Amino acid sequence: MNSTTPLAKPLSLALAGAFAALFSTCALAAPDLKIALIAGKTGVLESYAKETETGFMMGLEYLTGGKMEINGRKIKVIVKDDQGKPDLGRTLLAEAYGDDKADIAVGTTSSGSALAMLPVAKEYKKVLVVEPAVADEITGAKWNKYIFRTARNSMQDALAAASTLKSGSIGFLAQDYAFGRDAIKAGKQALAATGSKATVVHEEYAPATATDFTAPSQRLFDALKDKPQPRVLAIVWAGPNPMNKIADMKPERYGIALAPGGNLLPIMKTWKAYAGTEGTIYYYYGFPKNKMNDWLVSEHTKRYKAPPDMFTAGGMAAASAVFTALSKVPSANSEQLVTAMEGMSFETPKGTMTFRKEDHQALQPMYHFRIKKDQKNEWDLLELVREIPAKELPLPVTNKR
């Protein structure tokens, strides 16, 4: 009758032990690494934000070999849309750090929103990797120790452009908001820093949503037409670029050449009629030669039937910075992350970037391009004149540490 009884107790003990071991394993399993990605996915910079998110997710995929984990901890990316609104950006970052318990955050698209987010990172004592906002104040006057930027800043853009303008007369056209005014201020400082003999003779600021450029362009033509050659009208514009409309006004009548800053691929492919025009750019898929960029170009073209754009590369750079930092600090302790990231180098589609210790700005190369005359396909747009190394860009430290 009781022949099976002796087995019952050992069996129940074995099962209890198994459940205890399982519970213990679950209890001890490392929690997810939470990364908040904030971007302006609605609004005028929507395309920039979408590219950033694509590049960020592809970057994590590449760096983790598809496992989406770091040191055995699963990665959870929490994406939030700040709509380019500073108040919303600030609220969403606080929500990410507070309610979502994000270990680290990345964002955002608009410089205005990014600037509003900086004090939140300081309040919560959590790292914020800024991508792709470019305002100099982010790593300048408004900076705090929790802020790191993978994106280039306005001064890096300006220094790259200034390196191609050695003499003559320059007129600027920019958008009338923080990005545009910051860029022109940086442009004038960059000319002085690079020893250029070129003179800025006029500046025009048009509404960010402007579609008619007749009046500001004519004022620029009038200001430039009698000034020393070469005469250059430099365009600094986020979003749909006015270059074609200005070119239709035939600035060459006054001996004026256009110098566009690099832009998104769909915009630049409308510039074919201006073969030979030169400018500078943060990234163009055909320029960097390295393993990471090769993978990004191949995989992005395969998945999206087009090569990666400049903000896709930026998103991947941010992913690499986050991955490298969290690999060095498995606990994701904020103070340890700050220490590890100061002076940290990490690989990107542009090659190696390094966070400068003084202000946490990523030092990186830029590119001098020429619009191709013979374009083999719709995305074969630019030829490389020269890669401009980071060491040739005398970027000042402007924060008060």
Side-chain angles (χ1 to χ4, degrees), residues 184-251:
I184 303 312
K185 178 183 176 183
K188 292 188 287 188
Q189 292 172 345
L191 289 167
T194 56
S196 174
K197 303 299 184 184
T199 301
V200 177
V201 300
H202 192 67
E203 304 161 34
E204 281 288 333
Y205 298 93
T209 56
T211 56
D212 183 358
F213 300 94
T214 305
S217 296
Q218 191 58 55
R219 287 193 290 270
L220 281 161
F221 294 169
D222 290 343
L224 283 165
K225 63 184 181 182
D226 297 320
K227 297 298 187 293
Q229 287 276 19
R231 301 171 190 142
V232 177
L233 196 168
I235 304 167
V236 181
W237 206 267
N241 194 288
M243 178 169 156
N244 288 341
K245 291 183 178 181
I246 297 172
D248 287 343
M249 296 177 65
K250 302 190 181 306

Side-chain angles (χ1 to χ4, degrees), residues 18-55:
F19 281 120
L22 178 62
F23 178 79
S24 175
T25 300
C26 293
L28 294 174
D32 291 346
L33 283 167
K34 294 182 180 180
I35 305 168
L37 175 62
I38 300 175
K41 295 176 64 176
T42 52
V44 68
L45 301 179
E46 167 185 347
S47 55
Y48 294 10
K50 289 180 177 177
E51 288 183 7
T52 301
E53 183 179 355
T54 296

Side-chain angles (χ1 to χ4, degrees), residues 291-320:
K291 185 177 178 181
M292 185 179 287
N293 193 56
D294 289 347
W295 182 89
L296 176 61
V297 172
S298 175
E299 283 299 311
H300 194 280
T301 303
K302 187 186 304 181
R303 298 177 193 185
Y304 300 101
K305 312 304 179 189
D309 218 332
M310 59 192 298
F311 294 102
T312 321
M316 195 170 190
S320 183

Side-chain angles (χ1 to χ4, degrees), residues 53-137:
E53 183 179 355
T54 296
F56 189 77
M57 298 307 295
M58 289 185 72
L60 291 177
E61 176 188 347
Y62 172 82
L63 293 157
T64 65
K67 294 181 179 180
M68 296 301 282
E69 62 180 42
I70 301 174
N71 292 323
R73 296 179 66 181
K74 290 292 183 183
I75 298 169
K76 181 179 181 181
V77 180
I78 305 162
V79 181
K80 298 176 182 288
D81 177 14
D82 69 2
Q83 302 173 34
K85 299 175 180 177
D87 287 349
L88 184 54
R90 182 167 48 242
T91 299
L92 291 178
L93 185 60
E95 180 184 275
Y97 289 145
D99 298 343
D100 299 325
K101 308 298 181 188
D103 296 292
I104 192 168
V106 177
T108 182
T109 317
S110 159
S111 286
S113 187
L115 285 164
M117 288 162 56
L118 306 188
V120 179
K122 184 177 182 179
E123 177 186 350
Y124 282 86
K125 298 182 179 180
K126 294 275 189 177
V127 170
L128 171 64
V129 176
V130 177
E131 176 66 46
V134 302
D136 285 330
E137 286 185 311

